[in-house]
Amino acid sequence: MSGQGSFENPYEDYTSTPQNNILNDPRNGISDVLQKKISNFKATKLQILTTKLQRDVFCDGTVYTGSAGLALYYTYNSLANKNEPCHDALQATLEYLDILNLKGRRISFLCGDAGPLAIATVISYKLGTRRSNSLPDYKELGQRLMQLISILEDSPDEVLYGKSGYLFALLFTNKHISGKEVIPSYHIEKVINSIISSGKRLSLHMKADSPLLWQWHDKVYLGAAHGMAGILYVLLQARNYIKGNDLRAFVKPTIDWLLGSRFQTGNFPSSLGSSSGDRLVQWCHGAPGFVSLCLAAYQAFDDEKYLKIANQCGEVIWQRGLCTKGYSLCHGVSGNAYAFLQLYQATKKPIHLYRACCFMEWCAVERPGTELHRPDRPASLFEGLLGRIFLAEDITRPIDSKFPAFCL
């Protein structure tokens, strides 16, 4: 092991000469050899997921650990054909969505009702007149999604359970139903204003140097899942709905303050004043979750410093990102591979695609002893096998890949 929490990286780093049939000749995609291996991996694992692990798929109805994660996978695959979505696949997706028994207690895309409702809204719209009578019209589903705002002020601000996760669901719905504003601007702005107001209040209360500050369970978390990096990233994805003054006077200086919390290694603490040290290099806590934020900040503010920090995070992930916890999206190697895909999209440099492929290979081969913590939900999107299947799908079209349920 290279340090607490990660294995030593056994892969040679990228060079411009061909390496083990990983990239194609133009260096803008994977090789035919790797494509075949990944296709076999994906087909085999999907078969296991939908047969042997079927019961675990339906452990709950959420995107994070349950059946809606598989619904999201099939939805993305159907929408990948930009000319004409596959209606049969979209129809089949519905068996993984349980929108009749939603409790209305949690608001987020990943762990709440907003995820299944947003996915169902998009499917209903795409099916059009071909939808079955059991699936409500997309406008009705959109209304149900909007009604979740009734629990907005009782919800935390973070991505997994809170308002930022709800905001993502609203953005997801509007993105995939282009040309129709299913979720009106005023509704999205109300959610954004609630998140920003909450950040202002805590900052004032704590007399913080950052103009915005959020906490979860009485801790100021910094990472993507429960913390500030995730909240700020979703806000940047919604920046067209944010007043220019709020963006410049509050969001940007908060990002700058947050990025100032880096360790000398280039990694980030899990929370403000954390005593756990420089241990975690995973999407939920640590450098991988900051890549999305830095690249979005680079795009929003046209400042090279954000791209530089994103690249430095990439170096941390390459050195320390083969997590001992296993292969998951949330706290494992699959999630870390997505950071390289995002860097590749931003820079078009083949080194990042190559590194993503190495991490994909690590996840696919499953060498003995490389998963020291078995996932609680072995089939799930964010903890289990489905996250690897998603990565295997995305790495075949790297320029269009999106970290599931986090990147629009």
Side-chain angles (χ1 to χ4, degrees):
M1 296 185 193
S2 64
Q4 193 174 8
S6 66
F7 294 104
E8 187 171 341
N9 189 337
Y11 298 102
E12 292 181 15
D13 207 352
Y14 176 78
T15 64
S16 55
T17 54
Q19 288 173 283
N20 302 324
N21 289 315
I22 288 178
L23 300 185
N24 61 15
D25 285 341
R27 305 286 185 267
N28 62 0
I30 65 175
S31 69
D32 291 342
V33 172
L34 185 57
Q35 176 95 32
K36 187 174 181 180
K37 288 180 181 177
I38 288 174
S39 293
N40 290 338
F41 166 82
K42 192 172 59 181
T44 302
K45 294 300 186 182
L46 202 53
Q47 174 70 14
I48 292 170
L49 191 76
T50 53
T51 53
K52 293 180 181 177
L53 295 176
Q54 178 87 340
R55 181 178 293 181
D56 190 62
V57 167
F58 285 96
C59 72
D60 63 42
T62 70
V63 172
Y64 188 89
T65 50
S67 59
L70 194 51
L72 183 66
Y73 172 77
Y74 286 129
T75 302
Y76 271 141
N77 280 359
S78 299
L79 299 179
N81 183 347
K82 296 180 174 63
N83 297 321
E84 182 67 31
C86 178
H87 291 92
D88 290 343
L90 284 174
Q91 195 71 52
T93 298
L94 296 174
E95 71 176 280
Y96 299 103
L97 288 175
D98 181 8
I99 55 173
L100 295 177
N101 297 307
L102 298 176
K103 302 290 193 294
R105 293 176 192 153
R106 283 184 175 168
I107 200 171
S108 73
F109 189 92
L110 278 169
C111 296
D113 291 6
L117 280 173
I119 297 166
T121 304
V122 171
I123 292 172
S124 178
Y125 174 76
K126 296 293 183 183
L127 286 174
T129 56
R130 304 188 201 189
R131 69 180 173 83
S132 64
N133 292 332
S134 61
L135 179 66
D137 178 71
Y138 76 93
K139 293 176 185 174
E140 180 184 332
L141 289 164
Q143 284 297 314
R144 285 186 62 187
L145 181 58
M146 289 175 63
Q147 286 164 8
L148 287 174
I149 203 165
S150 64
I151 56 172
L152 186 73
E153 296 308 323
D154 296 324
S155 303
D157 295 289
E158 45 82 87
V159 168
L160 247 64
Y161 299 107
K163 300 173 192 173
S164 298
Y166 182 51
L167 177 57
F168 178 86
L170 303 176
L171 298 173
F172 173 91
T173 303
N174 273 0
K175 176 181 176 175
H176 293 292
I177 304 181
S178 56
K180 295 181 186 291
E181 195 181 54
V182 179
I183 311 298
S185 298
Y186 70 82
H187 190 87
I188 294 173
E189 288 163 6
K190 188 173 181 179
V191 178
I192 290 168
N193 291 338
S194 177
I195 295 169
I196 291 177
S197 296
S198 177
K200 289 175 181 177
R201 282 195 302 273
L202 186 63
S203 173
L204 286 170
H205 176 71
M206 295 186 68
K207 298 181 173 60
D209 292 332
S210 169
L212 299 173
L213 214 59
W214 298 278
Q215 62 183 4
W216 186 72
H217 286 196
D218 300 322
K219 256 188 180 179
V220 177
Y221 283 96
L222 305 185
H226 299 298
M228 294 186 60
I231 296 168
L232 289 163
Y233 175 58
V234 178
L235 285 175
L236 285 184
Q237 291 186 95
R239 62 184 177 275
N240 290 339
Y241 298 93
I242 301 177
K243 296 169 189 169
N245 184 57
D246 278 349
L247 204 59
R248 288 281 172 184
F250 290 94
V251 175
K252 185 178 187 297
T254 299
I255 293 171
D256 292 340
W257 172 86
L258 179 63
L259 297 180
S261 68
R262 279 193 303 166
F263 293 118
Q264 286 188 337
T265 61
N267 195 29
F268 287 86
S270 60
S271 61
L272 198 60
S274 170
S275 59
S276 59
D278 182 2
R279 288 191 309 114
L280 304 174
V281 180
Q282 54 201 45
W283 174 78
C284 51
H285 301 294
F290 283 79
V291 170
S292 304
L293 173 63
C294 291
L295 293 176
Y298 172 59
Q299 188 178 41
F301 305 116
D302 195 26
D303 189 331
E304 290 282 337
K305 74 179 178 186
Y306 299 118
L307 181 60
K308 183 179 178 182
I309 294 172
N311 276 305
Q312 289 168 347
C313 286
E315 294 304 318
V316 173
I317 299 163
W318 179 245
Q319 295 298 328
R320 298 169 54 196
L322 295 175
C323 306
T324 58
K325 288 180 180 177
Y327 315 117
S328 73
L329 283 181
C330 184
H331 38 262
V333 183
S334 294
N336 292 353
Y338 269 101
F340 294 130
L341 288 176
Q342 291 165 356
L343 284 164
Y344 174 68
Q345 290 172 348
T347 66
K348 307 300 185 292
K349 291 182 177 177
I351 182 175
H352 302 302
L353 181 55
Y354 168 83
R355 288 175 169 183
C357 290
C358 291
F359 276 36
M360 174 74 249
E361 195 267 354
W362 180 273
C363 292
V365 172
E366 302 175 347
R367 294 173 181 84
T370 57
E371 185 179 47
L372 301 188
H373 302 271
R374 288 280 297 158
D376 293 334
R377 291 296 173 191
S380 69
L381 175 57
F382 266 68
E383 293 182 4
L385 179 56
L386 182 54
R388 282 189 280 161
I389 294 171
F390 232 115
L391 175 63
E393 186 73 44
D394 269 345
I395 211 162
T396 63
R397 42 176 188 258
I399 214 69
D400 296 319
S401 65
K402 305 288 182 190
F403 193 109
F406 188 56
C407 299
L408 289 169

